[in-house]
Amino acid sequence: MTINALWIPAWYELDQSIVVGVTEEFVFHKTVANEALTFYSGAKGSDAAKATGTISAIKHNVLEDIESVDAQGLDYTLVLQDGRRLLVNAEENPGLIYEWVDDSWQPSDMVITDWTLAVQFASLSPLTPIK
């Protein structure tokens, strides 16, 4: 059974890194009935819960299939399933994109206004509150 979650960046090193095929513990905003499961970010002051799961897919409505998001540091690195690499500013100009071209980061013409990612889990343990 596939379990879906939303990864909505808060930028500024507040987000979790995610990688297709990796099994680890993730932190989510505590959900209420009929609310989408959403990865926790430090930007919201809500309660959190944790669960262990295996990510089977990461999708974006423009970028499509994504292999990984490295949210360490003030620039996030995205590796797309087609092999392209993007560097996304997470501090001064959140969402500003650079592409890896000819062995260097080059400014991109891409403009993405919604960075929400749909993350599919092949498995996810029950959520447990974090105290």
Side-chain angles (χ1 to χ4, degrees), residues 27-31 35-49 127:
V27 181
F28 301 94
H29 289 284
K30 194 171 179 184
T31 59
E35 189 176 69
L37 184 61
T38 305
F39 282 84
Y40 185 83
S41 71
K44 293 184 180 178
S46 66
D47 292 335
L127 294 173

Side-chain angles (χ1 to χ4, degrees), residues 58-66 80-82 84 117:
I58 304 168
K59 298 186 181 291
H60 183 264
N61 62 355
V62 174
L63 300 172
E64 298 180 348
D65 295 321
I66 297 172
L80 307 185
Q81 205 164 50
D82 65 11
R84 289 183 294 153
L117 303 180

Side-chain angles (χ1 to χ4, degrees), residues 5 17 37 70 87 93 98 122 124 127:
S17 296
L37 184 61
D70 181 351
L87 189 70
N93 295 301
Y98 295 85
L124 189 67
L127 294 173

